[in-house]
Amino acid sequence: MLTDAEAGLVAALKASPLAVCLRLVGTLPDDTGPTLVQRFAVDAPAAYVTLANFPVGDTGATLRAAVVCVARNAAGPQAARQGDGKVIGLFQIMDAVMAALHQASAGGAVWAVVGGEFMENKAVYDSGLQVGSIKLETLGPVTVPLGVDAAPLADFETFHADYDIDPLADPADRAGWVAEPPDHSGAVPALTDELQLQ
């Protein structure tokens, strides 16, 4: 359900007339803070899909999503917002996203535009960026899946567990235990289990 929703929204934007005006249409990167702003600066103009928190009721889930829109223009903030006839502006991207996705079917659901907002952030402005998002919600509940389809999943090959019998290890040490490769430079697990399956 969630994978279909995210992929469907990205596909709908890529199939829209907006796509040819953007450098990137995809999902929101996992970066945060200054790293995210740097990524925005490299990708602009861009549109990123991200799913949001959603309620689940007796009749299903009302999915929520946002499309984060990013624009940049060397001519200044006004050109980045409104466009200059050569490079698309933030307002034009947001208008096109609304046109493409309002009451549109994507990812097994029908979506409605329910709002929008603008990012007010000094690092964003200092990078010459204009950023806003279009908020989406499914029209009516989406059926919640009853189980996991194991067919596309790889076979389970290794079971590994670290035990802290007396919970004395620092949470940062425990985070190191599950890293790849594991980091045991601080505390070490009291017991370790590892089982290789054939």
Side-chain angles (χ1 to χ4, degrees):
M1 169 180 81
L2 298 176
T3 300
D4 290 344
E6 183 181 69
L9 288 169
V10 170
L13 288 175
K14 285 184 175 181
S16 75
L18 171 65
V20 298
C21 301
L22 301 180
R23 180 173 288 156
L24 180 89
V25 175
T27 57
L28 189 67
D30 291 336
D31 304 304
T32 58
T35 307
L36 182 61
V37 173
Q38 290 169 2
R39 179 73 179 268
F40 282 171
V42 169
D43 292 345
Y48 308 96
V49 171
T50 182
L51 295 185
N53 296 337
F54 57 91
V56 178
D58 292 339
T59 57
T62 301
L63 299 184
R64 294 178 178 152
V67 179
V68 178
C69 306
V70 181
R72 184 178 187 173
N73 194 311
Q78 181 173 341
R81 283 192 307 276
Q82 298 177 3
D84 62 2
K86 297 175 186 172
V87 179
I88 193 168
L90 176 65
F91 296 162
Q92 294 165 312
I93 298 171
M94 294 176 78
D95 285 348
V97 167
M98 289 189 280
L101 298 180
H102 186 57
Q103 297 186 348
S105 179
V110 178
W111 298 86
V113 173
V114 295
E117 60 185 43
F118 298 97
M119 181 181 282
E120 297 177 6
N121 180 288
K122 185 178 185 311
V124 167
Y125 294 146
D126 288 349
S127 296
L129 296 167
Q130 294 289 317
V131 180
S133 64
I134 298 298
K135 306 295 183 183
L136 306 167
E137 192 172 284
T138 54
L139 285 173
V142 176
T143 303
V144 175
L146 298 177
V148 174
D149 179 7
L153 302 176
D155 291 338
F156 183 64
E157 296 176 0
T158 305
F159 170 79
H160 179 92
D162 293 319
Y163 302 97
D164 188 16
I165 295 174
D166 292 319
L168 302 175
D170 185 275
D173 290 330
R174 287 196 201 116
W177 300 350
V178 298
E180 286 294 333
D183 177 10
H184 294 127
S185 59
V188 296
L191 293 172
T192 298
D193 253 344
E194 186 154 314
L195 176 64
Q196 296 289 334
L197 302 177
Q198 297 299 328

